[in-house]
Amino acid sequence: MPRTSASVLLVGLLCLCCWEAMITKVEAEYMAYKDPNKPINIRIKDLMDRMTLAEKIGQMTQLDRQNVTAEIMRDYSIGSLLSGGGSVPRLRANPQDWINMVNDFQNGSLSSRLGIPMIYGIDAVHGHNNVYKATIFPHNVGLGATRDSELVKKIGAATALELRATGITYAFAPCIAVCRDPRWGRCYESYSEDPEIVKQMTDIILGLQGDIPAGSRKGVPYVGGKDKVVACAKHFVGDGGTIKGINENNTLIDMHGLMSIHMPAYYHSIIKGVSTIMVSYSSWNGKKMHANHELVTRFLKDTLKFKGFVISDWQGIDKISYPLHSDYPNSVLAGIQAGIDMVMVPYNYTEFIGIVTDHVNNKRIPMSRIDDAVRRILRVKFIMGLFENPLADQSFVDQLGSQAHRDLAREAVRKSLVLLKNGENSDTPVLPLPKKASRILVAGTHANNLGYQCGGWSLTWQGVSGNNYTAGTTILGAIASAVNETTDIVFSINPDPNFVKASNFDYAVVAVGEVPYAETRGDSLNLTIPEPGPSIITNVCGVVKCVVIVVSGRPVVIEPYLSSIDALVAAWLPGTEGQGISDVLFGDYGFSGKLPRTWFKTVDQLPMNVGDRHYDPLFPFGFGLTTDPLDQ
C-alpha cells in the first residue's frame, strides 16, 4: 500500500476513534436526572443509581445553619438546612441578607459531585415569623376562631411569598395538633379542640403549596410553582392529647380515639398533597412516636399511601432515649427503622452520619430503608422544581411585609376576635365604642407591646417583649389611629385607681394577658394571667366603664374578674396588625369570631372538651357574641 494511502487511512481511523470517544463522552455526560423532560421516577432512579451510601445518608441529614459551611454542604452532600427559632443571618436581617446566606449554602451543595440541591426549612408557623419586618399573622388558635378556611388558604399563599422573598422554600407548617388541654404550652399552635375545625384548616396547605391538579394521585406531594413552598403537617400524631397538657409527654388514648380525634387532619393533609410530615416528640400509650414503626411506616406510609418524606423534630431522635442522647446509636437505629426519612441533626452531624453508616454496613439498617428515605426526599425536590431553580428568585423580595399581606393579617385579626361579654344584657351593649369621646384611658401590659401581641415563635423561639424588634401596630397605636383627632388618649400600664377615678374618662380599654412562650416553657398548671394583669383589671374596671382585651394563647382564668368587666374580648395572639382590633372595637366591622376552644371556669375542670359528659364551661365551645358594624 502506498505510504500516502496508509497515512490517510491511519488519520481516518484516528478521527473515527476520536469521534467515537467524543460521542461516548457526550453520552457519559448526559444525566437523565438533570433532564426536566424526563418523568420524575426516571430522574429519581437515575440519580440514586449514581449515589454512594455516603451521599444517600447525607441527603437524610438536616443541619442548623449555625453549625455548617458551604464546604460541609459540598463534602457531605447534606440534604437540608434549617433555621431554628431566632437563627438568623444577622440581627434585623433584610431579604437580601437571607438570600445571600441561602444561596451561599446552596452553591456549596451544587458544587458537590452530583450537584444535588439542598432544601432550606424554617418555622414559618404564623407568617414568616423569624424575619424582621415580615407580616406576622394571628397564631392558629385565633385562625380557628374565624372558621374561615378560605382566609387560612390566603394566609398560606401570603406566607409562601414571604418565604420566597428570603430564598427559603420549606415551611415547618401547619401544626395540625388537636389541643385537648389548654395547659399545654403549644395550645396556641392548634386551631381547635375540635378535629373537624382542624381538618378544615388544612386548606392552608393549598395556600402554601398550591392547589393540586385534578386527578392527582392520593398521597403524592405537590408544590405548584416558584411562588409556592413545601409544607409540613406536624406533629404526627397525638401531640395535643398528652396527660395534663405536658409537652412532649404521653398521650393515653385507644386506637379509636387516636383515629377519630388526632388523625383526621393527617388524612386531609395527605389528600391535599402535603409534601412532608414531622413526627411528634410525644408518646402514644408509652411508645415514643419517633420510634413507632407501626404508625409511621405501617399506617402513614403503607395504609395512607403518603409518598412525601417524614422528618424528625429538632433532636427528636436524641430524645428517644433518656437522658437526651444517652443511647444515641440505638436511638438512631430505632428512628430510622420506624420510618423517619430526614433527621433534624442540628449539631452532631458527623456522629450521626457515622452511626448510620455503621448500621448499614453491619446490616442493622437494610439498604432498602435508606433507599426509601432518599427516594422520598428526592421526589419532593424534583416535584418542587429545585433542580431547575435551586437559587433564590430575586423578584419576590418586595413581598416581605407587603401592604397586601398586612391587610390580609388585619382581616384575620378582626375575624379572630371573640366577644365574650358586651354589657350586662343585650339592651345595654358597651361595644362598639364611640370614636368621638372627650377622654379615654388605655391601660395594661399588652396595650403597647408588639412582642406580646405576637407571642412565641416570633422573631425568636420564645418570643420577645417590646416594640423594637419588628414592624407593626400595637393596640394603643391602633386605638390612636381610630378615634377622633380631638379625643384625649391617656396611656398608663398600671394606673392608680384614684387617678382613674379623678380623671373623668369616658371609658377605658385594658389589654392584659400572657407573656410570650413556646413549647415546654408555656406549660402551665394554673393558667392565670400574670400580675399586674389582674390588678389592672381590678383597679380600672372597678372605677370606669371598661373593655378588657385578653391577649393569650388559650383560655385563662377570668371568672373572678368577670363581674367587674363591662365588655370582654378574647384576642388570642393577633400578631403585628393591631388595627384589626380597633376595626371591631369601634364598629367599622362587627364581631364574628367563635370560640375554637372551651373556656373553663377553673383549671380543676381540665381537661374539658365539647361533648364531654360533665361539660360545665364558663363559655362553651362555639360561643361568641356578634355586633353589627356602625354606619360611620
Side-chain angles (χ1 to χ4, degrees):
M1 182 185 297
R3 181 172 297 188
T4 303
S5 300
S7 298
V8 170
L9 182 62
L10 184 60
V11 169
L13 286 169
L14 285 169
C15 287
L16 184 62
C17 289
C18 289
W19 180 251
E20 287 177 345
M22 286 172 65
I23 291 173
T24 303
K25 187 177 180 184
V26 168
E27 287 177 345
E29 285 178 349
Y30 173 75
M31 298 180 179
Y33 76 89
K34 291 187 175 182
D35 186 348
N37 297 313
K38 290 289 184 185
I40 283 176
N41 284 342
I42 289 175
R43 298 179 76 182
I44 292 171
K45 184 180 186 307
D46 179 71
L47 179 51
M48 288 186 65
D49 286 346
R50 301 171 188 273
M51 294 173 74
T52 64
L53 175 62
E55 286 165 334
K56 289 178 178 179
I57 295 171
Q59 285 299 298
M60 296 172 65
T61 309
Q62 185 184 63
L63 310 181
D64 185 89
R65 55 158 289 281
Q66 296 183 91
N67 307 303
V68 71
T69 63
E71 291 70 32
I72 291 170
M73 300 302 293
R74 177 195 67 203
D75 296 344
Y76 289 87
S77 192
I78 298 298
S80 183
L81 286 183
L82 84 151
S83 277
S87 181
V88 298
R90 67 176 180 87
L91 192 65
R92 297 189 175 185
N94 61 37
Q96 199 60 53
D97 294 324
W98 283 93
I99 285 171
N100 292 342
M101 177 194 71
V102 174
N103 280 352
D104 182 51
F105 289 132
Q106 188 67 283
N107 282 320
S109 294
L110 297 175
S111 67
S112 64
R113 186 179 75 90
L114 293 170
I116 305 171
M118 64 88 184
I119 183 172
Y120 198 107
I122 197 165
D123 286 286
V125 295
H126 61 140
H128 200 6
N129 45 261
N130 272 280
V131 177
Y132 180 61
K133 289 189 175 180
T135 310
I136 298 183
F137 294 90
H139 266 298
N140 286 357
V141 64
L143 298 181
T146 71
R147 306 293 201 271
D148 191 337
S149 59
E150 185 60 33
L151 172 70
V152 167
K153 181 180 175 182
K154 289 177 183 175
I155 289 171
T159 301
L161 285 169
E162 298 215 7
L163 263 77
R164 286 288 188 169
T166 57
I168 295 175
T169 52
Y170 182 12
F172 300 133
C175 177
I176 54 173
V178 182
C179 175
R180 303 291 284 179
D181 193 324
R183 291 174 290 188
W184 185 37
R186 303 194 80 151
C187 204
Y188 61 76
E189 297 184 57
S190 167
Y191 293 106
S192 178
E193 70 190 42
D194 179 8
E196 283 299 314
I197 291 176
V198 179
K199 214 163 70 173
Q200 293 165 22
M201 295 301 169
T202 57
D203 274 5
I204 194 171
I205 293 165
L206 302 176
L208 289 163
Q209 296 191 159
D211 289 298
I212 58 173
S216 290
R217 283 174 54 214
K218 179 190 170 188
V220 177
Y222 177 76
V223 182
K226 292 183 182 180
D227 60 343
K228 299 299 179 183
V229 298
V230 169
C232 179
K234 63 183 189 182
H235 309 84
F236 187 84
V237 59
D239 50 340
T242 57
I243 299 166
K244 294 184 179 179
I246 298 170
N247 192 43
E248 303 183 17
N249 206 256
N250 192 20
T251 297
L252 289 174
I253 195 170
D254 61 17
M255 178 62 86
H256 173 74
L258 188 77
M259 292 296 158
S260 61
I261 295 172
H262 299 285
M263 196 67 79
Y266 287 96
Y267 309 154
H268 284 258
S269 297
I270 291 167
I271 289 166
K272 291 167 187 174
V274 74
S275 296
T276 74
I277 290 176
M278 186 183 292
V279 181
S280 176
Y281 287 130
S282 58
S283 302
W284 177 47
N285 295 336
K287 177 77 171 177
K288 286 275 189 184
M289 282 304 311
H290 273 77
N292 196 318
H293 179 269
E294 187 67 28
L295 285 176
V296 176
T297 294
R298 299 275 308 267
F299 189 76
L300 180 61
K301 291 182 173 180
D302 296 347
T303 302
L304 297 186
K305 308 298 183 188
F306 174 61
K307 300 297 184 188
F309 68 79
V310 176
I311 186 169
S312 81
D313 207 334
W314 178 282
Q315 290 189 297
I317 293 273
D318 307 51
K319 294 184 179 186
I320 290 174
S321 56
Y322 183 83
L324 177 77
H325 201 76
S326 59
D327 189 9
Y328 196 53
N330 279 330
S331 296
V332 170
L333 180 64
I336 292 176
Q337 284 182 332
I340 295 170
D341 304 311
M342 183 177 281
V343 180
M344 209 181 279
V345 190
Y347 310 117
N348 53 324
Y349 64 94
T350 54
E351 180 189 16
F352 170 76
I353 290 169
I355 287 169
V356 178
T357 304
D358 180 68
H359 283 324
V360 175
N361 289 338
N362 288 284
K363 307 278 192 294
R364 290 184 289 268
I365 296 177
M367 201 63 211
S368 59
R369 173 74 274 272
I370 300 296
D371 285 343
D372 171 60
V374 177
R375 191 176 298 113
R376 289 166 177 276
I377 292 164
L378 293 178
R379 180 178 288 114
V380 171
K381 290 184 176 185
F382 280 120
I383 282 171
M384 65 187 290
L386 198 59
F387 282 79
E388 288 68 57
N389 298 290
L391 299 175
D393 186 336
Q394 305 272 350
S395 67
F396 292 111
V397 166
D398 63 352
Q399 295 291 329
L400 188 90
S402 71
Q403 191 57 50
H405 296 167
R406 293 190 181 278
D407 290 345
L408 179 64
R410 183 172 175 174
E411 176 189 353
V413 172
R414 60 179 176 252
K415 288 182 175 179
S416 71
L417 303 175
V418 180
L419 182 57
L420 299 174
K421 183 179 180 180
N422 191 18
E424 288 307 313
N425 55 63
S426 58
D427 296 327
T428 56
V430 174
L431 297 172
L433 293 170
K435 292 182 179 180
K436 292 181 179 178
S438 175
R439 196 167 196 229
I440 65 173
L441 172 66
V442 179
T445 48
H446 290 58
N448 191 34
N449 195 314
L450 200 58
Y452 281 10
Q453 272 177 220
C454 293
W457 291 113
S458 303
L459 287 311
T460 69
W461 175 38
Q462 291 293 323
V464 295
S465 173
N467 298 331
N468 300 319
Y469 293 92
T470 195
T473 306
T474 65
I475 295 170
L476 174 63
I479 291 171
S481 296
V483 297
N484 191 277
E485 59 186 15
T486 62
T487 299
D488 181 22
I489 301 172
V490 176
F491 170 63
S492 174
I493 290 178
N494 188 6
D496 180 271
N498 292 322
F499 166 76
V500 177
K501 191 178 293 184
S503 296
N504 198 29
F505 293 115
D506 292 66
Y507 56 80
V509 177
V510 176
V512 295
E514 296 185 298
V515 296
Y517 55 82
E519 299 191 58
T520 304
R521 294 190 202 176
D523 288 354
S524 172
L525 291 177
N526 58 43
L527 292 178
T528 52
I529 297 171
E531 286 289 352
S535 297
I536 298 168
I537 294 173
T538 302
N539 291 344
V540 175
C541 294
V543 179
V544 65
K545 182 168 69 175
C546 76
V547 179
V548 171
I549 300 170
V550 178
V551 178
S552 68
R554 53 201 166 184
V556 290
V557 174
I558 199 72
E559 188 184 36
Y561 323 108
L562 192 57
S563 61
S564 66
I565 295 169
D566 295 293
L568 177 63
V569 178
W572 314 111
L573 297 169
T576 52
E577 306 313 303
Q579 284 172 293
I581 294 174
S582 60
D583 283 344
V584 185
L585 279 185
F586 294 100
D588 294 326
Y589 295 83
F591 279 91
S592 60
K594 304 296 179 187
L595 283 181
R597 326 199 36 79
T598 298
W599 203 295
F600 58 86
K601 293 176 180 175
T602 71
V603 291
D604 296 335
Q605 297 175 293
L606 299 176
M608 178 175 61
N609 295 282
V610 64
D612 288 355
R613 282 180 59 200
H614 302 292
Y615 191 68
D616 183 27
L618 181 62
F619 301 108
F621 170 85
F623 180 81
L625 301 172
T626 58
T627 59
D628 294 323
L630 294 175
D631 293 327
Q632 301 296 331

